[in-house]
Amino acid sequence: MNQPLWKFRPMSRGEINVDPIEGEFFSTEVLGSLPDAVIREAIQNSLDAALPGETVRIVITFPSPGQRLGAEDAARYLHGLREHLEAKDSGLADAVDFGRPMDFLVIEDFGTRGLAGDVRDDGSRDDAAQKNDFYYFWRNIGRAVEGATTRGRWGLGKTVFQAASRINSFFGLTVRHDDTRRLLMGQSVLKIHRSNGRRYAPYGYYGRFEDDFALPVEDPGHIERFCRDFSIRRVDEPGLSVIVPYPDEEIEIESVIRSVINQYFFPILSGGLAVTVAGGAHEQVLDEKTLFAYIAGTDWEDRRGLVRRLEFARWCLAQPDAALECLREPPAGRAPKWDESLFEPGQLARLRDRFEKGERLAFHIPLWVEPRKQGIAHSHFKLFLERDAGIDRGEDFFIRDGITVTGVSSQRQKGMRVIVSAADPPLSRLLGDSENPAHTEWQERSPKFKNRYNLGPACLRFVKNSPREIIRILSMPAEGRDTKLLRDLFYVDLEPGRETRADRRAPGDVPGPGVSGGSEAPAAAPARLLMSRLKGGFRLSLHPEAKTYPRTIDLQMAYDVRQGNPFRLYRDFDFDLAKPPIRIEGAHCTYRVVQPNSLKVTAEQPDFQLTVTGFDVNRDLKIKIITTRDKNP
Amino acid sequence: MSTPLRTLNEKGIALYRDYLDALRSGGQGRPPLELLTDPWCSAKVPLEITVEERAFPNKLALGRYLNEVLRLLPHAQVERQVGLWSWLTLFYFDQVCPVNRHGRRAAGPDYRYILDADFRRFYRHLLLGPYYAYKLHGDSAALLLYGPVHQTNQFFIELTSRQALFANRGVMEAATLLYHDPKTGRAKRGAGAKDKPGTLRRFIDVVQQLDLTHDLFSMRGSDVVALLPAEFDPWKEQAKAQKSLLRRLFKK
C-alpha cells in the first residue's frame, strides 16, 4: 500500500494554459463575506444530502491553541504539497509559516448520506448522469448532475472550501450510508505553476495514486490518526467532514454564528437543521430550542430586531395550511400578473381590514409553471407578512428550500416584514434554475434558466414582486374619510415619560405564540466606543463610560450612497486603506488592513486610539464596526 | 418632401408589431408604409405639423429636429403617445432599421420602435430617447446622442437607466465635458471601459455618493467636475485642454 500524499499532474508539452476562475463566482463582492460563503455552501450541501426524516446536524469546530497540529505532524499532511504552494506562481496571496502549528477548521455533517458512488468513476463512462456524489464532489468543478441536488445547481459550491484556506486546499473525510466505507481525500487549487523546472496543472489531490489518478485513502490506521490529529468527531456515522487547513482569519466563531442565523434561521426553526459551533472547551448549539436564548444573551446591536424576525418566522412555520388565505391561480398560458382578480369576492375587503388593523397575514399562492416540452405543473408558494414599527425600511426574505436568497428584495415599505417561502418542487426547481452560482440572486438571464420554461421570466417576476404587490393591493385606500391620513405630518410631541410601550408598538405587534424575547429582549447595550470626526477621517477610542473594551474591532468603510448598501457598492477606486492618501495611526493597538476597505484592530490597552484620515471630504463616509470578544479593563 | 404628422391607432400598432415579428422570424417584406396614411390604422394629430423625410447624421441631429417639429405639441401630451412615436419610427423606418450590408433588415426588440411605458425600456425607443435627451440637455446631450439613429450607445443606456442622473443638467454637462470628444463627435477612447478609474461607471458611482452631500441639481457641469476626486484628473486635464483650444480658436 503506497503512502498517501499530494500530487499535481505535470502538464504536457503544448497543453493550453488556463488558470482556474471558479473563485470569481464566490468573490466577497458577490457574497458579502467569506464566512457567509463558507456557511452557505457547507450547509446547503449537507441539506441536499440529508437522509429522509433525519435532522441534519452540522458541527463546526475551531480548535483551541492546544489542539492545533504541531509543525512536524502537520508536515505529514503536507507531503508533496509544500513545494507546489511555495512555487512563485502558485497564486497564493500570502505566504504561510509552516514552522508554526497548523490552525484548521472542521465542518462536519451528520444525518446525511455521505459521498456515495463509485470512487473509480473518472467521467469517461456514458452513464455519467448517474448519481455519483463522490465523483461530482471531487472530480468536477462547475458541473453538477441534473436532479442530483435540490439546492445547488452549479457544482461550484465546494470551491469555497479552498477559498477559505490560506493554502487553497482542503481535506474531506466521508463515511457512506450505503456501504459504511470511510474515505479520505484532499484537493488543492492553485494556478498553473512551475516546480523543479516542470509545469504543473492547477488541480492537485491528496490520496493514493494509480499513475496520476487519485483514489481515496481507506487505511483504517491512517484515517484514525487523521481523525485524532484534526479533532474530528465522526466515528462511523454517515456524512462528510471537511477540514480546512490554515483557514482565513476572517472566519471567526462569532462571524460564523451570525452567518448561520442570518442564512438558515428558517430550517433551524423548522427543526430540520441544528448547528453546533465549538471553540476550545465551549460549544454553542443553535437549534429551535436554543436560538432565541442565545441571541438574547449577545450584545449585538441588532439583536432585538433579529429576535422579532425569528419570532415571526416561527409564527410562519406554525401556520397550518387551513389557516392560510388561499388566492386564485393566475390563468394558465398567460403571463401571471398581480391584480385584484387573484382574490375571491369578499376576500380582499376582509384582508384589507385585517391588514389595516395590523394583523399578521399568511397566504397560499398558487402558480403554474411550464417547463419547455413538458406539461403545465401546478405549484404554489407561501407568503407571510407583518407590520413592525421597529424597522426603518421594509424587510423581505425569500427562502427557497430553506436557503435564504439574500440578494432578492422587492419592497421597501417602512415597517413591513415579509417572508416568501417556496418549497413545492415544480416552483422550487424553477427558482433554483434561476439562481446564480453564489445562490444570492434569482436571475432571468441565468443560462440554466433562460429558454427552459414557457413564460419563465414572468413566473419569476410574479414571485419576486409578490411582497411589493400584495402590500400595494392591500394598501389601496378604502372609500370614505381617513381620519389618520395626516397624523405623521400634524402631531404634538408627548413628553418622553408619557409615551407608553403600547404607543411605540404597532397595532397587532404581538410576539408569536410561546416565544420569549420581543418586548422581553434586553435593552440596547451602553456605548463602548467613541467615534470622533476629524477632517477627512475619524478617531476611534474607548468610550469614557465603557465598562469593558473590545479585544478585536473590525472596521469596514465605504462612501455613503442615497440608495443601496454602501458597503456592497464600495469599489477599490474609492479608496484603499493600504495606500495614500489614507493615513492610519494607532496608539496602544495594532491594526491590519484585511481588505482595501476594512481594518482589523486589536486593542492592547483600554486607552487605545486609532486615527484614520485622508478620505474625500466631499463625500460622506459610512463606518461599520463589529466587535467580538471583550476584555475587562 | 413634407408629410402631415399622424398617429397610429391600436390596429395600426398591431399590424406594425406583426411586421416587426415577421422581420425577426426571417421575413424580409417591405415596411408597411401604407399604415402611415391609412385612415383605418392612423389618425391626423390635431395641429398642422409636418415632418420631412431626411437623413440624420447622428442622434443629436435627430433629437434637435424632433424638438423643433414637435415644439407646438405640449410635452406632456407627446411623451406618452405610443401611437405618435410608433408612427414616427415607421415613417423613418429606413433609419431606425436600415438594410444592412447583407441586404437584410435586422429588427431589434419592439420597444425600440413601439413605445413601451415600462421605465426600463421607455427611453430605449429610438426616437423618443434622443427627443427626450435633447429636450432636457440640448447640445450637452452630445455624449448620449452620438452615432447613427439605429444604434444606442453605452453612455445613453447607462445614464438614462438612472432617472436621477439623466434628469440632472449639471451631471449630464459634467459627463459631456469629461467624456465627449468634440473633434470626433464621439466618446473619448476608453471612457466606457469597465473596471478602470475615472471612467463612466465610476462617474456614476461617485456622483451617486456626491448626491448625498451636495445639491447637484443646482450646480453647473464645471462645478460637478470640480468635485470629482483625483481618479478623474486625466479626464479633467483633457477637458481643460479642449476648452483652452476652443477658446484660442474662437479668439482667432
Side-chain angles (χ1 to χ4, degrees):
Chain A
M1 175 73 63
N2 49 14
Q3 278 301 308
L5 76 163
W6 285 93
K7 210 168 173 181
F8 285 77
R9 179 178 62 80
M11 290 177 74
S12 354
R13 193 174 167 199
E15 191 174 339
I16 291 177
N17 293 308
V18 184
D19 281 325
I21 53 141
E22 54 271 14
E24 291 169 18
F25 289 92
F26 292 95
S27 66
T28 47
E29 203 173 283
V30 173
L31 293 159
S33 79
L34 189 58
D36 282 351
V38 171
I39 293 307
R40 171 178 292 276
E41 293 300 330
I43 297 183
Q44 178 203 289
N45 290 345
S46 303
L47 290 174
D48 268 341
L51 290 169
E54 295 237 10
T55 294
V56 172
R57 287 190 305 114
I58 309 277
V59 181
I60 301 165
T61 308
F62 290 82
S64 63
Q67 286 174 308
R68 288 177 189 166
L69 214 53
E72 273 181 35
D73 289 329
R76 200 169 43 250
Y77 298 108
L78 299 174
H79 179 48
L81 180 62
R82 266 187 71 172
E83 56 265 38
H84 295 277
L85 299 176
E86 286 167 350
K88 203 175 74 185
D89 43 2
S90 67
L92 293 187
D94 297 305
V96 170
D97 182 358
F98 293 110
R100 300 183 64 180
M102 179 199 272
D103 191 10
F104 56 86
L105 171 73
V106 184
I107 305 171
E108 301 183 76
D109 66 27
F110 299 88
T112 61
R113 61 176 181 261
L115 298 177
D118 181 3
V119 300
R120 291 183 170 274
D121 190 347
D122 59 2
S124 58
R125 294 192 311 221
D126 288 341
D127 57 351
Q130 196 188 342
K131 200 161 167 175
N132 185 335
D133 295 330
F134 187 90
Y135 167 70
Y136 276 96
F137 186 80
W138 287 114
R139 304 208 169 103
N140 283 274
I141 286 176
R143 301 174 71 235
V145 67
E146 201 71 27
T149 165
T150 53
R151 292 168 182 85
R153 285 291 188 286
W154 295 82
L156 285 160
K158 63 245 180 200
T159 61
V160 297
F161 298 135
Q162 297 133 18
S165 162
R166 285 185 287 137
I167 59 169
N168 275 29
S169 311
F170 72 98
F171 299 96
L173 170 72
T174 186
V175 176
R176 293 144 49 113
H177 179 252
D178 52 0
D179 59 9
T180 68
R181 281 167 77 185
R182 290 199 296 173
L183 310 170
L184 170 65
M185 260 177 88
Q187 195 181 64
S188 177
V189 181
L190 305 176
K191 288 193 167 178
I192 291 172
H193 56 281
R194 297 187 83 80
S195 179
N196 295 325
R198 293 197 73 171
R199 192 168 56 122
Y200 287 92
Y203 299 98
Y205 286 98
Y206 176 80
R208 9 183 223 109
F209 286 86
E210 287 178 1
D211 299 323
D212 284 332
F213 186 67
L215 287 166
V217 178
E218 292 194 72
D219 172 33
H222 186 88
I223 290 180
E224 261 146 43
R225 178 155 193 182
F226 181 89
C227 290
R228 257 197 327 273
D229 284 344
F230 287 103
S231 311
I232 289 169
R233 297 191 179 200
R234 184 180 312 285
V235 183
D236 51 9
E237 310 92 321
L240 174 68
S241 303
V242 171
I243 300 90
V244 178
Y246 302 108
D248 191 289
E249 287 168 5
E250 205 185 324
I251 305 173
E252 291 182 320
I253 291 180
E254 188 165 319
S255 58
V256 161
I257 289 178
R258 284 207 74 123
S259 292
V260 168
I261 295 172
N262 282 337
Q263 300 183 90
Y264 287 101
F265 63 90
F266 215 66
I268 291 177
L269 292 175
S270 71
L273 174 69
V275 180
T276 302
V277 182
H282 181 73
E283 68 176 42
Q284 178 62 50
V285 177
L286 302 169
D287 62 15
E288 55 181 319
K289 297 192 187 82
T290 60
L291 200 55
F292 286 92
Y294 174 76
I295 295 169
T298 66
D299 62 355
W300 298 345
E301 278 180 15
D302 60 342
R303 67 187 179 285
R304 202 184 170 107
L306 203 51
V307 166
R308 293 201 51 79
R309 184 191 306 167
L310 299 190
E311 278 172 1
F312 179 52
R314 185 138 85 177
W315 175 83
C316 300
L317 286 161
Q319 295 310 297
D321 283 351
L324 304 182
E325 289 285 346
C326 192
L327 302 192
R328 287 174 171 165
E329 188 178 79
R334 297 215 317 254
K337 272 196 315 199
W338 278 103
D339 57 30
E340 295 183 13
S341 68
L342 297 177
F343 295 79
E344 299 289 344
Q347 186 185 27
L348 187 55
R350 184 166 43 81
L351 285 169
R352 279 180 179 160
D353 189 42
R354 288 180 60 195
F355 182 71
E356 182 60 27
K357 285 180 185 155
E359 286 182 32
R360 285 172 168 168
L361 297 176
F363 295 89
H364 170 104
I365 302 167
L367 177 65
W368 51 267
V369 297
E370 189 178 2
R372 290 258 160 102
K373 295 176 189 163
Q374 293 175 35
I376 282 182
H378 296 277
S379 191
H380 69 270
F381 62 101
K382 294 177 184 175
L383 183 145
F384 308 88
L385 68 86
E386 72 163 359
R387 286 177 192 267
D388 181 348
I391 47 177
D392 288 341
R393 53 187 300 179
E395 275 186 3
D396 43 18
F397 301 91
F398 289 82
I399 296 162
R400 183 186 64 81
D401 282 322
I403 302 179
T404 306
V405 183
T406 51
V408 183
S409 174
S410 87
Q411 62 100 11
R412 292 186 175 173
Q413 188 158 334
K414 188 178 169 185
M416 294 301 311
R417 179 179 287 121
V418 182
I419 289 181
V420 173
S421 169
D424 191 48
L427 181 61
S428 163
R429 212 171 292 128
L430 178 142
L431 298 173
D433 285 342
S434 75
E435 256 163 43
N436 59 338
H439 304 289
T440 54
E441 286 171 20
W442 288 335
Q443 299 173 337
E444 289 176 19
R445 292 179 184 278
S446 168
K448 292 186 188 296
F449 179 73
K450 211 173 158 191
N451 301 327
R452 228 183 226 201
Y453 295 88
N454 289 332
L455 294 168
C459 290
L460 184 60
R461 265 176 252 149
F462 186 81
V463 180
K464 278 168 83 170
N465 295 337
S466 55
R468 187 185 67 211
E469 293 295 318
I470 280 216
I471 291 171
R472 179 183 63 80
I473 292 170
L474 294 178
S475 309
M476 280 191 174
E479 285 179 15
R481 196 162 145 183
D482 184 353
T483 54
K484 294 174 187 165
L485 184 67
L486 299 176
R487 68 176 175 179
D488 288 338
L489 291 177
F490 304 106
Y491 56 89
V492 178
D493 279 330
L494 286 176
E495 287 166 35
R498 287 175 56 195
E499 193 185 7
T500 63
R501 185 180 293 278
D503 291 332
R504 290 195 298 272
R505 219 183 249 179
D509 186 15
V510 288
V515 175
S516 66
S519 55
E520 283 78 38
R528 289 186 303 167
L529 294 170
L530 186 67
M531 176 81 75
S532 339
R533 182 193 294 254
L534 300 176
K535 191 176 180 200
F538 61 91
R539 178 179 297 130
L540 183 72
S541 56
L542 192 68
H543 196 281
E545 289 170 17
K547 293 197 174 66
T548 60
Y549 79 97
R551 191 172 72 89
T552 57
I553 306 165
D554 289 312
L555 290 167
Q556 202 179 359
M557 285 144 262
Y559 288 127
D560 204 2
V561 285
R562 193 171 291 284
Q563 277 196 336
N565 179 343
F567 300 100
R568 287 195 177 194
L569 295 172
Y570 162 82
R571 299 287 176 269
D572 290 359
F573 302 124
D574 285 333
F575 58 82
D576 185 338
L577 292 172
K579 292 180 187 164
I582 303 295
R583 206 169 147 193
I584 309 174
E585 288 167 38
H588 304 303
C589 65
T590 55
Y591 60 85
R592 189 163 57 87
V593 175
V594 284
Q595 296 218 3
N597 73 329
S598 49
L599 271 181
K600 188 180 272 296
V601 183
T602 308
E604 287 165 348
Q605 291 179 26
D607 59 346
F608 76 91
Q609 206 167 72
L610 179 85
T611 308
V612 189
T613 51
F615 295 102
D616 186 355
V617 292
N618 285 321
R619 290 180 270 178
D620 274 349
L621 188 67
K622 194 105 177 162
I623 305 160
K624 187 155 64 176
I625 301 179
I626 301 165
T627 58
T628 50
R629 288 154 256 163
D630 287 353
K631 260 187 184 178
N632 287 321
Chain B
M1 188 185 119
S2 291
T3 307
L5 180 67
R6 297 173 69 86
T7 171
L8 288 183
N9 62 18
E10 273 184 28
K11 189 179 171 197
I13 292 171
L15 290 169
Y16 186 19
R17 210 183 285 276
D18 288 347
Y19 170 69
L20 293 170
D21 278 343
L23 275 188
R24 281 188 292 264
S25 311
Q28 284 301 315
R30 46 173 286 281
L33 298 178
E34 63 282 2
L35 302 180
L36 294 171
T37 48
D38 183 340
W40 295 101
C41 296
S42 62
K44 194 173 165 299
V45 296
L47 288 169
E48 290 298 326
I49 296 174
T50 57
V51 284
E52 278 177 27
E53 272 183 41
R54 56 160 84 174
F56 300 101
N58 51 42
K59 292 187 286 291
L60 187 69
L62 167 76
R64 197 182 288 136
Y65 174 74
L66 289 176
N67 270 275
E68 172 64 21
V69 166
L70 301 176
R71 71 187 186 285
L72 294 176
L73 291 172
H75 177 64
Q77 278 186 25
V78 172
E79 66 170 7
R80 299 275 160 183
Q81 291 288 340
V82 179
L84 176 79
W85 292 105
S86 307
W87 187 93
L88 279 167
T89 54
L90 183 57
F91 184 75
Y92 288 119
F93 202 72
D94 279 338
Q95 291 188 70
V96 295
C97 188
V99 176
N100 63 21
R101 62 198 165 94
H102 304 295
R104 304 180 71 82
R105 290 183 198 271
D110 276 0
Y111 60 74
R112 287 163 70 89
Y113 315 100
I114 297 169
L115 189 63
D116 187 329
D118 186 306
F119 75 96
R120 287 165 301 183
R121 298 183 283 270
F122 183 66
Y123 296 115
R124 303 288 292 275
H125 187 276
L126 288 171
L127 301 186
L128 176 121
Y131 162 80
Y132 215 109
Y134 194 87
K135 175 143 225 92
L136 286 176
H137 305 297
D139 286 338
S140 292
L143 179 69
L144 307 177
L145 300 180
Y146 71 82
V149 174
H150 68 283
Q151 287 172 2
T152 307
N153 72 47
Q154 179 198 358
F155 294 84
F156 184 89
I157 294 171
E158 294 286 347
L159 290 167
T160 56
S161 63
R162 292 163 175 89
Q163 183 68 34
L165 299 189
F166 180 48
N168 189 317
R169 279 187 188 201
V171 169
M172 294 308 302
E173 262 177 43
T176 306
L177 277 173
L178 290 176
Y179 304 124
H180 185 250
D181 184 348
K183 266 194 273 177
T184 59
R186 304 179 68 83
K188 288 177 189 163
R189 185 180 286 269
K194 280 185 191 170
D195 302 326
K196 290 266 171 14
T199 53
L200 172 73
R201 281 160 203 258
R202 286 295 300 150
F203 175 80
I204 292 169
D205 288 347
V206 173
V207 163
Q208 286 177 331
Q209 293 164 348
L210 292 170
D211 186 33
L212 270 184
T213 50
H214 292 77
D215 178 11
L216 299 178
F217 263 93
S218 66
M219 293 168 79
R220 288 177 309 163
S222 53
D223 300 330
V224 176
V225 168
L227 285 178
L228 296 172
E231 65 175 286
F232 292 88
D233 285 352
W235 300 98
K236 287 188 197 175
E237 291 301 320
Q238 282 185 34
K240 216 168 162 185
Q242 267 162 18
K243 212 171 171 184
S244 56
L245 176 74
L246 286 173
R247 232 180 244 150
R248 277 205 306 275
L249 289 172
F250 187 71
K251 268 186 183 170
K252 272 183 189 173

